Amino acid sequence: MEFSTGFRWTRLPVLAAAFILGSVLTVSAQIIPPFSAPAPDDEAETEATETAAAPDVNDPDILKGIDVDKLDWSQLAVDAGTGNDVMAAKKRAQAAAKDGLNWSSNANANGSSAVTVKQSVFSFWDARIGADMTVTSEPRTMSELLAQKATNGGSLPQSSGSAWATATAPGAGSIWDKTAVEARVDPGAEQSKIGASLTKSVPLSSDTSLTLQNGYSVNQQGTTAVPGIGGHVTRNYETDQTAKVTLTDTGTSITAGQSLSTTDDKWLRKVGAEQKLFDNVTVSGSVGETSQGAINKSLTAGFKKSW
């Protein structure tokens, strides 16, 4: 709210005090019964009480040494319904921390560290940016140098990193439900990728649902120019189609799909299944075709927990 009158901000506390005093007097006039003269025996006691309550010029000044103009009066603008809500304050702090810069680091077996940093830039579409880096430490002694070379096949590990951005947007009416976009750039390997996927979910029954997904991506690979040979860039276009049936009661999901790329120039089909054994533990398996004609089989078990 903006005030366009000629009052200075230093007079606002005085006006607020006058307003509050007037409100108190009005309420008091409504709830205090009509005044009646005290009994003769109570006159001395009443006079003593009024004398004690009256301010004295010799009382200490509680505002001494305080610059009233520098007080933060905005602290009084608090909603009475939520001013003392500690849980709401904690939730706001957690949301601010979640949307801020988030760092994580894990040690690798070769002595390097995998560092990930990410930050939310638009919560409505769940848009995030980040970087995945492999950071190596310089050996300080000859024994550390020999140990790093032995772990990495005779060579020292090199630092690398890639930047990425993701966003999830709504779909287009009844055609699809969700749109996901992802981009990644790796300057060291001269690689970049941008892709998008369209997802549509259809309930088949109370405990069964069907999810259809179409994905499209472009992969770009560059080569560094050397004397006598110029660098060039190659692009690979990929598309994939996936159908997934989920049984909520049993924790089972069955997936069937196919993919096509410009390097393979033929559809490669794949089927798989995933079973939830108990809390946070799943087992999945898949069988798929490869461009060389062989069959690729895999069986994995995973544990996932979020907190």
Side-chain angles (χ1 to χ4, degrees), residues 101-165:
L101 202 61
N102 186 7
W103 290 83
S104 63
S105 176
N106 295 311
N108 296 327
N110 60 358
S112 62
S113 298
V115 180
T116 300
V117 55
K118 59 184 178 180
Q119 182 177 13
S120 175
V121 293
F122 190 38
S123 59
F124 179 73
W125 278 5
D126 193 20
R128 298 177 181 272
I129 58 175
D132 299 329
M133 298 168 285
T134 300
V135 181
T136 61
S137 59
E138 294 292 334
R140 293 169 294 183
T141 61
M142 182 59 66
S143 59
E144 290 183 0
L145 177 63
L146 295 177
Q148 289 187 8
K149 286 187 175 182
T151 306
N152 295 275
S155 62
L156 289 175
Q158 300 296 323
S159 298
S160 60
S162 61
W164 52 265

Short mmCIF file of all heavy atoms in Angstrom, two decimals, residues 101-165:
data_model
loop_
_atom_site.label_atom_id
_atom_site.label_comp_id
_atom_site.label_asym_id
_atom_site.label_seq_id
_atom_site.Cartn_x
_atom_site.Cartn_y
_atom_site.Cartn_z
N LEU A 101 20.72 -23.64 -5.07
CA LEU A 101 21.79 -24.42 -5.67
C LEU A 101 22.05 -25.66 -4.81
O LEU A 101 22.27 -25.55 -3.60
CB LEU A 101 23.04 -23.56 -5.78
CG LEU A 101 24.09 -23.97 -6.80
CD1 LEU A 101 23.51 -23.95 -8.20
CD2 LEU A 101 25.29 -23.05 -6.72
N ASN A 102 22.04 -26.84 -5.43
CA ASN A 102 22.18 -28.10 -4.73
C ASN A 102 23.42 -28.82 -5.22
O ASN A 102 23.56 -29.09 -6.41
CB ASN A 102 20.93 -28.96 -4.95
CG ASN A 102 20.96 -30.23 -4.12
OD1 ASN A 102 21.85 -30.42 -3.28
ND2 ASN A 102 20.02 -31.12 -4.35
N TRP A 103 24.35 -29.12 -4.30
CA TRP A 103 25.61 -29.79 -4.63
C TRP A 103 25.60 -31.20 -4.03
O TRP A 103 25.08 -31.42 -2.95
CB TRP A 103 26.80 -29.02 -4.05
CG TRP A 103 27.07 -27.71 -4.72
CD1 TRP A 103 26.44 -26.52 -4.46
CD2 TRP A 103 28.04 -27.44 -5.73
NE1 TRP A 103 26.95 -25.54 -5.27
CE2 TRP A 103 27.94 -26.07 -6.05
CE3 TRP A 103 28.97 -28.22 -6.40
CZ2 TRP A 103 28.75 -25.47 -7.00
CZ3 TRP A 103 29.78 -27.62 -7.35
CH2 TRP A 103 29.67 -26.27 -7.64
N SER A 104 26.22 -32.13 -4.76
CA SER A 104 26.43 -33.48 -4.24
C SER A 104 27.74 -34.02 -4.81
O SER A 104 28.14 -33.68 -5.93
CB SER A 104 25.27 -34.41 -4.62
OG SER A 104 25.17 -34.55 -6.03
N SER A 105 28.40 -34.88 -4.05
CA SER A 105 29.70 -35.41 -4.46
C SER A 105 29.81 -36.85 -4.01
O SER A 105 29.42 -37.20 -2.89
CB SER A 105 30.83 -34.57 -3.86
OG SER A 105 32.10 -35.11 -4.18
N ASN A 106 30.37 -37.70 -4.89
CA ASN A 106 30.61 -39.10 -4.60
C ASN A 106 32.02 -39.47 -5.07
O ASN A 106 32.45 -39.04 -6.14
CB ASN A 106 29.58 -40.01 -5.29
CG ASN A 106 28.18 -39.79 -4.76
OD1 ASN A 106 27.95 -39.77 -3.56
ND2 ASN A 106 27.22 -39.62 -5.66
N ALA A 107 32.72 -40.26 -4.26
CA ALA A 107 34.07 -40.68 -4.59
C ALA A 107 34.04 -41.87 -5.55
O ALA A 107 33.26 -42.80 -5.38
CB ALA A 107 34.84 -41.04 -3.33
N ASN A 108 34.88 -41.81 -6.59
CA ASN A 108 35.02 -42.91 -7.55
C ASN A 108 36.16 -43.83 -7.15
O ASN A 108 37.02 -43.48 -6.34
CB ASN A 108 35.26 -42.36 -8.97
CG ASN A 108 34.08 -41.56 -9.48
OD1 ASN A 108 32.93 -41.86 -9.16
ND2 ASN A 108 34.36 -40.56 -10.29
N ALA A 109 36.16 -45.04 -7.74
CA ALA A 109 37.18 -46.02 -7.39
C ALA A 109 38.57 -45.60 -7.87
O ALA A 109 39.57 -46.00 -7.29
CB ALA A 109 36.81 -47.39 -7.99
N ASN A 110 38.66 -44.79 -8.93
CA ASN A 110 39.96 -44.40 -9.47
C ASN A 110 40.55 -43.17 -8.78
O ASN A 110 41.54 -42.62 -9.23
CB ASN A 110 39.85 -44.13 -10.97
CG ASN A 110 38.87 -43.01 -11.28
OD1 ASN A 110 38.22 -42.45 -10.38
ND2 ASN A 110 38.75 -42.67 -12.56
N GLY A 111 39.95 -42.73 -7.69
CA GLY A 111 40.49 -41.59 -6.96
C GLY A 111 39.86 -40.27 -7.30
O GLY A 111 40.09 -39.27 -6.60
N SER A 112 39.05 -40.19 -8.34
CA SER A 112 38.38 -38.95 -8.71
C SER A 112 37.05 -38.83 -7.96
O SER A 112 36.64 -39.75 -7.25
CB SER A 112 38.15 -38.88 -10.21
OG SER A 112 37.30 -39.94 -10.63
N SER A 113 36.40 -37.70 -8.13
CA SER A 113 35.11 -37.44 -7.47
C SER A 113 34.09 -37.05 -8.52
O SER A 113 34.38 -36.27 -9.43
CB SER A 113 35.25 -36.33 -6.44
OG SER A 113 36.16 -36.70 -5.42
N ALA A 114 32.89 -37.63 -8.39
CA ALA A 114 31.78 -37.27 -9.26
C ALA A 114 30.97 -36.18 -8.57
O ALA A 114 30.37 -36.42 -7.52
CB ALA A 114 30.91 -38.49 -9.56
N VAL A 115 30.96 -34.99 -9.14
CA VAL A 115 30.31 -33.83 -8.54
C VAL A 115 29.12 -33.44 -9.42
O VAL A 115 29.25 -33.35 -10.64
CB VAL A 115 31.28 -32.65 -8.41
CG1 VAL A 115 30.58 -31.45 -7.79
CG2 VAL A 115 32.48 -33.05 -7.58
N THR A 116 27.98 -33.24 -8.80
CA THR A 116 26.76 -32.83 -9.50
C THR A 116 26.22 -31.57 -8.84
O THR A 116 26.12 -31.50 -7.63
CB THR A 116 25.70 -33.93 -9.46
OG1 THR A 116 26.21 -35.12 -10.08
CG2 THR A 116 24.43 -33.49 -10.18
N VAL A 117 25.88 -30.60 -9.65
CA VAL A 117 25.28 -29.36 -9.17
C VAL A 117 24.05 -29.09 -10.02
O VAL A 117 24.07 -29.26 -11.24
CB VAL A 117 26.28 -28.18 -9.25
CG1 VAL A 117 26.82 -28.00 -10.66
CG2 VAL A 117 25.61 -26.90 -8.78
N LYS A 118 22.95 -28.70 -9.36
CA LYS A 118 21.72 -28.43 -10.08
C LYS A 118 20.93 -27.34 -9.35
O LYS A 118 21.11 -27.12 -8.16
CB LYS A 118 20.86 -29.68 -10.21
CG LYS A 118 20.46 -30.33 -8.90
CD LYS A 118 19.68 -31.62 -9.13
CE LYS A 118 19.32 -32.29 -7.82
NZ LYS A 118 18.56 -33.55 -8.04
N GLN A 119 20.09 -26.67 -10.11
CA GLN A 119 19.28 -25.59 -9.55
C GLN A 119 17.98 -25.48 -10.32
O GLN A 119 17.96 -25.64 -11.55
CB GLN A 119 20.03 -24.26 -9.61
CG GLN A 119 19.26 -23.09 -9.00
CD GLN A 119 20.07 -21.80 -9.00
OE1 GLN A 119 21.09 -21.72 -9.66
NE2 GLN A 119 19.61 -20.81 -8.27
N SER A 120 16.90 -25.21 -9.61
CA SER A 120 15.60 -25.02 -10.23
C SER A 120 15.50 -23.58 -10.72
O SER A 120 15.86 -22.64 -10.01
CB SER A 120 14.49 -25.31 -9.24
OG SER A 120 13.22 -25.01 -9.78
N VAL A 121 15.02 -23.41 -11.95
CA VAL A 121 14.89 -22.07 -12.52
C VAL A 121 13.43 -21.69 -12.76
O VAL A 121 13.11 -20.52 -12.90
CB VAL A 121 15.67 -21.96 -13.85
CG1 VAL A 121 17.15 -22.07 -13.60
CG2 VAL A 121 15.23 -23.03 -14.85
N PHE A 122 12.53 -22.68 -12.80
CA PHE A 122 11.11 -22.39 -13.02
C PHE A 122 10.33 -23.56 -12.46
O PHE A 122 10.30 -24.63 -13.05
CB PHE A 122 10.83 -22.20 -14.52
CG PHE A 122 9.46 -21.66 -14.81
CD1 PHE A 122 8.87 -20.71 -13.99
CD2 PHE A 122 8.74 -22.10 -15.91
CE1 PHE A 122 7.61 -20.21 -14.25
CE2 PHE A 122 7.48 -21.60 -16.20
CZ PHE A 122 6.92 -20.65 -15.36
N SER A 123 9.70 -23.36 -11.29
CA SER A 123 9.05 -24.45 -10.60
C SER A 123 7.77 -24.91 -11.29
O SER A 123 7.36 -26.06 -11.16
CB SER A 123 8.73 -24.05 -9.15
OG SER A 123 7.90 -22.90 -9.13
N PHE A 124 7.09 -24.02 -12.03
CA PHE A 124 5.82 -24.39 -12.64
C PHE A 124 6.01 -25.50 -13.67
O PHE A 124 5.22 -26.44 -13.74
CB PHE A 124 5.19 -23.17 -13.30
CG PHE A 124 3.88 -23.46 -13.98
CD1 PHE A 124 2.73 -23.71 -13.24
CD2 PHE A 124 3.79 -23.49 -15.36
CE1 PHE A 124 1.53 -23.98 -13.86
CE2 PHE A 124 2.59 -23.77 -16.00
CZ PHE A 124 1.46 -24.01 -15.24
N TRP A 125 7.05 -25.42 -14.47
CA TRP A 125 7.35 -26.45 -15.46
C TRP A 125 8.45 -27.40 -14.98
O TRP A 125 8.94 -28.21 -15.76
CB TRP A 125 7.78 -25.82 -16.78
CG TRP A 125 6.63 -25.38 -17.63
CD1 TRP A 125 5.31 -25.42 -17.33
CD2 TRP A 125 6.70 -24.84 -18.96
NE1 TRP A 125 4.56 -24.94 -18.35
CE2 TRP A 125 5.37 -24.57 -19.37
CE3 TRP A 125 7.74 -24.55 -19.82
CZ2 TRP A 125 5.07 -24.03 -20.63
CZ3 TRP A 125 7.45 -24.01 -21.07
CH2 TRP A 125 6.13 -23.76 -21.46
N ASP A 126 8.86 -27.32 -13.73
CA ASP A 126 9.93 -28.15 -13.19
C ASP A 126 11.18 -28.04 -14.06
O ASP A 126 11.80 -29.04 -14.44
CB ASP A 126 9.48 -29.61 -13.07
CG ASP A 126 10.45 -30.44 -12.22
OD1 ASP A 126 11.21 -29.83 -11.45
OD2 ASP A 126 10.44 -31.67 -12.34
N ALA A 127 11.55 -26.81 -14.40
CA ALA A 127 12.73 -26.56 -15.24
C ALA A 127 13.97 -26.49 -14.34
O ALA A 127 13.98 -25.77 -13.34
CB ALA A 127 12.57 -25.26 -16.02
N ARG A 128 15.00 -27.24 -14.71
CA ARG A 128 16.23 -27.29 -13.93
C ARG A 128 17.44 -27.23 -14.85
O ARG A 128 17.39 -27.69 -16.00
CB ARG A 128 16.29 -28.58 -13.09
CG ARG A 128 15.17 -28.69 -12.06
CD ARG A 128 15.24 -30.01 -11.32
NE ARG A 128 14.16 -30.14 -10.35
CZ ARG A 128 14.24 -29.70 -9.09
NH1 ARG A 128 15.35 -29.14 -8.66
NH2 ARG A 128 13.21 -29.83 -8.26
N ILE A 129 18.50 -26.67 -14.33
CA ILE A 129 19.79 -26.66 -15.01
C ILE A 129 20.83 -27.22 -14.07
O ILE A 129 20.68 -27.15 -12.84
CB ILE A 129 20.19 -25.24 -15.47
CG1 ILE A 129 20.25 -24.29 -14.26
CG2 ILE A 129 19.22 -24.72 -16.52
CD1 ILE A 129 20.76 -22.91 -14.60
N GLY A 130 21.90 -27.79 -14.63
CA GLY A 130 22.91 -28.37 -13.77
C GLY A 130 24.13 -28.80 -14.56
O GLY A 130 24.23 -28.56 -15.78
N ALA A 131 25.05 -29.44 -13.87
CA ALA A 131 26.28 -29.93 -14.48
C ALA A 131 26.73 -31.18 -13.76
O ALA A 131 26.59 -31.28 -12.53
CB ALA A 131 27.37 -28.86 -14.44
N ASP A 132 27.24 -32.12 -14.52
CA ASP A 132 27.83 -33.35 -13.99
C ASP A 132 29.32 -33.31 -14.29
O ASP A 132 29.72 -33.22 -15.46
CB ASP A 132 27.19 -34.59 -14.60
CG ASP A 132 25.70 -34.68 -14.30
OD1 ASP A 132 25.30 -34.20 -13.22
OD2 ASP A 132 24.95 -35.21 -15.13
N MET A 133 30.14 -33.38 -13.25
CA MET A 133 31.58 -33.23 -13.43
C MET A 133 32.34 -34.38 -12.78
O MET A 133 31.89 -34.93 -11.77
CB MET A 133 32.05 -31.90 -12.81
CG MET A 133 31.44 -30.66 -13.46
SD MET A 133 31.74 -29.17 -12.49
CE MET A 133 30.56 -29.42 -11.15
N THR A 134 33.48 -34.70 -13.37
CA THR A 134 34.43 -35.64 -12.79
C THR A 134 35.68 -34.84 -12.43
O THR A 134 36.38 -34.34 -13.32
CB THR A 134 34.78 -36.77 -13.75
OG1 THR A 134 33.58 -37.49 -14.10
CG2 THR A 134 35.77 -37.72 -13.13
N VAL A 135 35.93 -34.70 -11.15
CA VAL A 135 37.03 -33.86 -10.67
C VAL A 135 38.13 -34.76 -10.13
O VAL A 135 37.89 -35.63 -9.28
CB VAL A 135 36.55 -32.90 -9.56
CG1 VAL A 135 37.69 -32.01 -9.10
CG2 VAL A 135 35.38 -32.06 -10.07
N THR A 136 39.35 -34.57 -10.63
CA THR A 136 40.50 -35.36 -10.19
C THR A 136 41.38 -34.49 -9.30
O THR A 136 41.43 -33.27 -9.43
CB THR A 136 41.31 -35.87 -11.39
OG1 THR A 136 41.80 -34.74 -12.15
CG2 THR A 136 40.46 -36.73 -12.30
N SER A 137 42.07 -35.14 -8.41
CA SER A 137 42.99 -34.45 -7.50
C SER A 137 44.42 -34.65 -7.97
O SER A 137 44.79 -35.73 -8.46
CB SER A 137 42.83 -34.97 -6.07
OG SER A 137 43.09 -36.37 -6.03
N GLU A 138 45.23 -33.61 -7.81
CA GLU A 138 46.63 -33.70 -8.19
C GLU A 138 47.40 -34.56 -7.17
O GLU A 138 47.25 -34.36 -5.97
CB GLU A 138 47.26 -32.31 -8.26
CG GLU A 138 46.70 -31.42 -9.36
CD GLU A 138 47.07 -31.94 -10.74
OE1 GLU A 138 48.11 -32.64 -10.84
OE2 GLU A 138 46.32 -31.68 -11.69
N PRO A 139 48.19 -35.53 -7.64
CA PRO A 139 48.97 -36.35 -6.70
C PRO A 139 50.02 -35.50 -5.98
O PRO A 139 50.72 -34.70 -6.60
CB PRO A 139 49.61 -37.41 -7.59
CG PRO A 139 49.62 -36.80 -8.96
CD PRO A 139 48.42 -35.92 -9.04
N ARG A 140 50.11 -35.66 -4.66
CA ARG A 140 51.04 -34.88 -3.87
C ARG A 140 52.36 -35.60 -3.61
O ARG A 140 53.36 -34.96 -3.32
CB ARG A 140 50.39 -34.51 -2.53
CG ARG A 140 49.21 -33.54 -2.66
CD ARG A 140 48.45 -33.41 -1.37
NE ARG A 140 47.79 -34.66 -1.01
CZ ARG A 140 47.00 -34.80 0.06
NH1 ARG A 140 46.81 -33.77 0.87
NH2 ARG A 140 46.43 -35.96 0.32
N THR A 141 52.35 -36.91 -3.71
CA THR A 141 53.56 -37.69 -3.50
C THR A 141 53.74 -38.66 -4.65
O THR A 141 52.83 -38.90 -5.45
CB THR A 141 53.50 -38.45 -2.16
OG1 THR A 141 52.39 -39.35 -2.20
CG2 THR A 141 53.32 -37.48 -1.00
N MET A 142 54.93 -39.22 -4.73
CA MET A 142 55.21 -40.19 -5.80
C MET A 142 54.36 -41.45 -5.62
O MET A 142 53.92 -42.06 -6.60
CB MET A 142 56.69 -40.56 -5.78
CG MET A 142 57.09 -41.53 -6.89
SD MET A 142 56.73 -40.88 -8.55
CE MET A 142 57.90 -39.50 -8.60
N SER A 143 54.09 -41.83 -4.38
CA SER A 143 53.27 -43.02 -4.17
C SER A 143 51.84 -42.79 -4.65
O SER A 143 51.23 -43.70 -5.24
CB SER A 143 53.27 -43.39 -2.68
OG SER A 143 52.75 -42.32 -1.90
N GLU A 144 51.27 -41.59 -4.43
CA GLU A 144 49.93 -41.29 -4.94
C GLU A 144 49.92 -41.27 -6.46
O GLU A 144 48.95 -41.73 -7.08
CB GLU A 144 49.46 -39.93 -4.40
CG GLU A 144 49.15 -39.92 -2.92
CD GLU A 144 48.61 -38.58 -2.46
OE1 GLU A 144 48.48 -37.68 -3.33
OE2 GLU A 144 48.31 -38.42 -1.26
N LEU A 145 50.99 -40.76 -7.08
CA LEU A 145 51.07 -40.75 -8.55
C LEU A 145 51.09 -42.16 -9.11
O LEU A 145 50.36 -42.48 -10.06
CB LEU A 145 52.32 -39.99 -8.98
CG LEU A 145 52.61 -39.95 -10.49
CD1 LEU A 145 51.49 -39.22 -11.22
CD2 LEU A 145 53.96 -39.28 -10.75
N LEU A 146 51.88 -43.04 -8.52
CA LEU A 146 51.96 -44.42 -9.00
C LEU A 146 50.63 -45.15 -8.75
O LEU A 146 50.20 -45.96 -9.59
CB LEU A 146 53.11 -45.15 -8.30
CG LEU A 146 54.52 -44.63 -8.60
CD1 LEU A 146 55.56 -45.38 -7.79
CD2 LEU A 146 54.83 -44.74 -10.09
N ALA A 147 49.97 -44.86 -7.63
CA ALA A 147 48.70 -45.52 -7.33
C ALA A 147 47.62 -45.09 -8.32
O ALA A 147 46.83 -45.93 -8.79
CB ALA A 147 48.26 -45.19 -5.91
N GLN A 148 47.56 -43.79 -8.67
CA GLN A 148 46.56 -43.34 -9.64
C GLN A 148 46.83 -43.93 -11.03
O GLN A 148 45.89 -44.32 -11.73
CB GLN A 148 46.55 -41.82 -9.71
CG GLN A 148 45.97 -41.15 -8.48
CD GLN A 148 45.82 -39.65 -8.66
OE1 GLN A 148 46.01 -39.13 -9.76
NE2 GLN A 148 45.48 -38.95 -7.58
N LYS A 149 48.09 -44.02 -11.43
CA LYS A 149 48.41 -44.62 -12.73
C LYS A 149 48.06 -46.10 -12.76
O LYS A 149 47.56 -46.62 -13.77
CB LYS A 149 49.88 -44.41 -13.06
CG LYS A 149 50.24 -43.00 -13.48
CD LYS A 149 51.69 -42.91 -13.95
CE LYS A 149 52.00 -41.52 -14.49
NZ LYS A 149 53.39 -41.42 -14.99
N ALA A 150 48.30 -46.79 -11.65
CA ALA A 150 47.99 -48.22 -11.60
C ALA A 150 46.49 -48.44 -11.67
O ALA A 150 46.01 -49.41 -12.29
CB ALA A 150 48.58 -48.84 -10.35
N THR A 151 45.71 -47.56 -11.04
CA THR A 151 44.26 -47.71 -11.04
C THR A 151 43.66 -47.39 -12.40
O THR A 151 42.64 -47.98 -12.78
CB THR A 151 43.63 -46.79 -9.97
OG1 THR A 151 44.24 -47.07 -8.71
CG2 THR A 151 42.14 -47.03 -9.86
N ASN A 152 44.28 -46.49 -13.17
CA ASN A 152 43.72 -46.04 -14.44
C ASN A 152 44.49 -46.58 -15.64
O ASN A 152 44.52 -45.93 -16.70
CB ASN A 152 43.71 -44.51 -14.49
CG ASN A 152 42.78 -43.90 -13.46
OD1 ASN A 152 41.58 -43.75 -13.68
ND2 ASN A 152 43.34 -43.55 -12.29
N GLY A 153 45.12 -47.74 -15.51
CA GLY A 153 45.77 -48.37 -16.66
C GLY A 153 47.01 -47.67 -17.13
O GLY A 153 47.31 -47.66 -18.34
N GLY A 154 47.75 -47.05 -16.23
CA GLY A 154 49.01 -46.41 -16.60
C GLY A 154 48.91 -44.94 -16.92
O GLY A 154 49.94 -44.31 -17.22
N SER A 155 47.75 -44.36 -16.90
CA SER A 155 47.58 -42.94 -17.19
C SER A 155 46.83 -42.26 -16.05
O SER A 155 46.10 -42.92 -15.30
CB SER A 155 46.84 -42.73 -18.50
OG SER A 155 45.55 -43.29 -18.43
N LEU A 156 47.01 -40.96 -15.94
CA LEU A 156 46.33 -40.22 -14.89
C LEU A 156 44.90 -39.89 -15.32
O LEU A 156 44.65 -39.57 -16.49
CB LEU A 156 47.09 -38.91 -14.60
CG LEU A 156 48.43 -39.06 -13.90
CD1 LEU A 156 49.10 -37.70 -13.78
CD2 LEU A 156 48.26 -39.69 -12.53
N PRO A 157 43.95 -39.95 -14.41
CA PRO A 157 42.57 -39.58 -14.76
C PRO A 157 42.47 -38.09 -15.06
O PRO A 157 43.18 -37.27 -14.49
CB PRO A 157 41.77 -39.96 -13.51
CG PRO A 157 42.77 -39.91 -12.39
CD PRO A 157 44.07 -40.34 -12.99
N GLN A 158 41.59 -37.75 -15.98
CA GLN A 158 41.40 -36.37 -16.41
C GLN A 158 40.04 -35.85 -15.95
O GLN A 158 39.06 -36.60 -15.91
CB GLN A 158 41.49 -36.27 -17.94
CG GLN A 158 42.82 -36.73 -18.52
CD GLN A 158 43.98 -35.85 -18.08
OE1 GLN A 158 43.83 -34.64 -17.96
NE2 GLN A 158 45.13 -36.48 -17.83
N SER A 159 40.02 -34.58 -15.60
CA SER A 159 38.75 -33.96 -15.22
C SER A 159 37.90 -33.72 -16.45
O SER A 159 38.41 -33.42 -17.54
CB SER A 159 39.01 -32.63 -14.50
OG SER A 159 39.75 -32.82 -13.31
N SER A 160 36.60 -33.86 -16.30
CA SER A 160 35.66 -33.66 -17.41
C SER A 160 34.33 -33.20 -16.83
O SER A 160 34.12 -33.24 -15.61
CB SER A 160 35.49 -34.94 -18.24
OG SER A 160 34.98 -35.99 -17.42
N GLY A 161 33.45 -32.81 -17.70
CA GLY A 161 32.15 -32.36 -17.23
C GLY A 161 31.21 -32.08 -18.38
O GLY A 161 31.62 -31.89 -19.53
N SER A 162 29.92 -32.09 -18.08
CA SER A 162 28.89 -31.79 -19.06
C SER A 162 27.80 -30.97 -18.38
O SER A 162 27.52 -31.15 -17.19
CB SER A 162 28.30 -33.08 -19.66
OG SER A 162 27.69 -33.87 -18.65
N ALA A 163 27.19 -30.08 -19.14
CA ALA A 163 26.09 -29.24 -18.64
C ALA A 163 24.79 -29.74 -19.24
O ALA A 163 24.75 -30.24 -20.37
CB ALA A 163 26.33 -27.78 -19.03
N TRP A 164 23.68 -29.60 -18.47
CA TRP A 164 22.40 -30.11 -18.93
C TRP A 164 21.27 -29.19 -18.46
O TRP A 164 21.45 -28.37 -17.56
CB TRP A 164 22.14 -31.53 -18.43
CG TRP A 164 22.31 -31.70 -16.94
CD1 TRP A 164 23.41 -32.12 -16.26
CD2 TRP A 164 21.31 -31.42 -15.93
NE1 TRP A 164 23.17 -32.13 -14.91
CE2 TRP A 164 21.89 -31.70 -14.68
CE3 TRP A 164 20.00 -30.98 -15.97
CZ2 TRP A 164 21.21 -31.55 -13.48
CZ3 TRP A 164 19.29 -30.82 -14.77
CH2 TRP A 164 19.90 -31.11 -13.55
N ALA A 165 20.15 -29.35 -19.11
CA ALA A 165 18.93 -28.61 -18.75
C ALA A 165 17.74 -29.50 -19.06
O ALA A 165 17.70 -30.18 -20.09
CB ALA A 165 18.83 -27.30 -19.53
#
